[in-house]
Amino acid sequence: MKRYLFLSVLSVLFSCTASGPADEDGSRLWLPSSGSGHGRAVVSCNVNDITADMAARELEEHFEGTVSLVQNPSFEGKHGSYRLTSSDNNVTVSASDAAGLLYGAYALLRLQDTGADLTSLDIQETPAYDIRILNHWDNPDGTVERGYAGASLWQWDELPETVSPRYEQYARANASVGINAVVLNNVNASPLMLTTEYLVKVRVLADIFRKYGIRTYLSVNFASPKHIGGLSTSDPLDEDVIRWWRDKSDEIYDLIPDFGGFLVKANSEGQSGPQDYGRTHADGANMIARALAPHGGTVMWRAFVYAPDSPDRASQAYEEFVPLDGMFDENVIIQIKNGPVDFQPREPFHPLFGATPHTAQMVEFQITQEYLGFSNHLVFLAPMWKECLDADTYRAGVGTTVSEITLGNVWPQRTSAIAGVANIGSDTDWCGHIFAQANWYAFG
């Protein structure tokens, strides 16, 4: 299985490269180009929607044949599901929503570019996780923490007036592999990201991403009410603090109606958090979650909590979060690294998985190669991620794997999610090396 996955990813990457120009520089990633020899499609679509329009445009420019895009509310499958069927060279992409049509269009292009037989298709696919999110560790000054592919992709000093064409290319690449959410900035968050000046810049990116079915999230500094709100405290039980987060959430949703929510790193590695005020992680997470709740937003609260003097770093998150099980609001998800130490080359699955059956959990993987050669080595990470997801925790008997728990199949949770810390930067080839693109692709 590992060998098959490795070879299948490389076949897509390098078949696309082979079909491109001789001076391929990696900027096209795995996506089809206008010079691929295709692009004579006849496309019909039964819905008028900006995302469905993107699906039609991709096929018109890159597919050879006749395609019908059919959005059908009675189509069986969750958001983003699709079905490909064909007779001779006439293909139908069916889905219950526009996102499914877009994913189906990219799946069809992938099949075409890898030489598949398109004359008798009958393929149906459904995204496993509701939220499939990239976490960028990018800073407002253009640096990237644990970044090995140049500076940040986001040109904050140029936005909102100047918009790089790479923003749309980035969104297209994510949508082509089913990634539907993005956290723009570092978990060691600058309070600047919540100022009106920066939110107006974020809106430009969100407007681009929306066309590709991608929702925008931000990492937030828990002490923002003190740093940029003029308050003397960031105590999550203080009425002024509660009001500040509520007003800030209202401001964001006025600018970005489909804003996804916040990612929070609190009381870890010197970051501020509710424990600064004698409060719990649940107190802090719920305070922010309640500000987002009227808008449908989500709080992803990281379980990576440790201090330099922690007696046992591998157990600290377990000891802090297990006693809080059942105390978190339903729009809070605890984001847990695959292992308890810190993205090590080899470590067991995190003991928190399945230990809080009344609290939603999600897994966080690292696509960027922090402890795996700092991108000086060629490393394919999908087998390691698969090993973690397939690991049996035995929390509720045999088969209670990390994936089953985080999908909400063992204990119900409102939303399922999976995160990957991005390896993307401003380098021409996006990831520092064309091989490293395989990890971005495989995560999707």
Side-chain angles (χ1 to χ4, degrees), residues 34 52 62 99 168 183 194 200 226 246-247 250-251 288 291 299 305-306 319 338 367 371 380 432:
S34 56
H62 306 297
E168 181 151 358
V183 180
L194 288 181
V200 171
K226 285 180 63 175
R246 185 174 62 239
D247 292 346
D250 291 346
E251 178 189 0
I288 297 177
V299 171
V305 290
Y306 85 97
E319 293 167 354
N338 59 282
I367 307 172
Y371 294 120
F380 184 58

Side-chain angles (χ1 to χ4, degrees), residues 169-230:
Q169 295 162 12
Y170 163 86
R172 181 182 179 227
N174 279 333
S176 76
V177 292
I179 293 169
N180 68 348
V182 174
V183 180
L184 294 175
N185 61 310
N186 195 354
V187 290
N188 296 318
S190 167
L192 281 175
M193 295 305 301
L194 288 181
T195 62
T196 301
E197 176 189 2
Y198 273 83
L199 292 176
V200 171
K201 300 171 188 285
V202 170
R203 177 176 59 181
V204 174
L205 297 176
D207 288 346
I208 295 170
F209 299 164
R210 186 177 300 112
K211 296 183 294 184
Y212 292 88
I214 297 169
R215 296 182 73 179
T216 302
Y217 292 68
L218 289 174
S219 293
V220 295
N221 187 304
F222 191 82
S224 293
K226 285 180 63 175
H227 290 305
I228 62 172

Side-chain angles (χ1 to χ4, degrees), residues 24-234:
E24 173 66 55
D25 58 7
S27 62
R28 193 164 51 84
L29 297 163
W30 49 83
L31 297 164
S33 71
S34 56
S36 62
H38 303 294
R40 295 183 293 275
V42 177
V43 181
S44 62
C45 183
N46 74 337
V47 61
N48 183 17
D49 176 274
I50 190 170
T51 301
D53 290 346
M54 294 303 304
R57 191 180 80 177
E58 289 282 9
L59 294 169
E60 288 166 352
E61 293 182 359
H62 306 297
F63 189 69
E64 186 171 0
T66 303
V67 185
S68 297
L69 297 173
V70 180
Q71 184 170 320
N72 182 359
S74 64
F75 179 85
E76 294 185 4
K78 65 197 297 186
H79 181 73
S81 302
Y82 63 84
R83 184 180 182 188
L84 303 179
T85 56
S86 67
S87 176
D88 296 325
N89 206 30
N90 300 314
V91 182
T92 299
V93 181
S94 305
S96 61
D97 52 52
L101 295 179
L102 184 61
Y103 297 152
Y106 284 123
L108 185 56
L109 292 174
R110 183 161 55 247
L111 291 169
Q112 174 182 259
D113 283 358
T114 52
D117 180 5
L118 305 181
T119 59
S120 56
L121 292 175
D122 192 355
I123 298 170
Q124 183 164 336
E125 295 192 337
T126 298
Y129 289 93
D130 298 319
I131 301 173
R132 306 168 298 277
I133 191 166
L134 285 183
N135 289 182
H136 284 264
W137 284 0
D138 295 31
N139 300 310
D141 65 1
T143 60
V144 182
E145 187 168 337
R146 307 304 182 190
Y148 310 102
S152 172
L153 194 62
W154 323 123
Q155 303 296 315
W156 297 115
D157 57 336
E158 298 179 358
L159 287 164
E161 290 81 10
T162 302
V163 180
S164 168
R166 299 200 83 188
Y167 301 154
E168 181 151 358
Q169 295 162 12
Y170 163 86
R172 181 182 179 227
N174 279 333
S176 76
V177 292
I179 293 169
N180 68 348
V182 174
V183 180
L184 294 175
N185 61 310
N186 195 354
V187 290
N188 296 318
S190 167
L192 281 175
M193 295 305 301
L194 288 181
T195 62
T196 301
E197 176 189 2
Y198 273 83
L199 292 176
V200 171
K201 300 171 188 285
V202 170
R203 177 176 59 181
V204 174
L205 297 176
D207 288 346
I208 295 170
F209 299 164
R210 186 177 300 112
K211 296 183 294 184
Y212 292 88
I214 297 169
R215 296 182 73 179
T216 302
Y217 292 68
L218 289 174
S219 293
V220 295
N221 187 304
F222 191 82
S224 293
K226 285 180 63 175
H227 290 305
I228 62 172
L231 302 184
S232 61
T233 180
S234 293

Side-chain angles (χ1 to χ4, degrees), residues 129 361 402-413 415-416:
Y129 289 93
Q361 299 185 343
V402 172
S403 62
E404 288 296 295
I405 289 167
T406 55
L407 284 167
N409 293 337
V410 180
W411 297 287
Q413 56 187 58
T415 303
S416 63

Side-chain angles (χ1 to χ4, degrees), residues 308-358:
D309 58 353
S310 174
D312 187 349
R313 182 169 172 179
S315 67
Q316 184 172 350
Y318 184 95
E319 293 167 354
E320 290 195 21
F321 281 89
V322 169
L324 301 175
D325 185 30
M327 298 183 185
F328 292 92
D329 286 7
E330 67 172 8
N331 62 326
V332 176
I333 306 179
I334 306 304
Q335 182 165 312
I336 307 168
K337 288 188 178 185
N338 59 282
V341 180
D342 187 7
F343 292 138
Q344 296 299 301
R346 299 293 295 172
E347 58 178 323
F349 65 83
H350 203 295
L352 255 185
F353 287 121
T356 57
H358 305 291

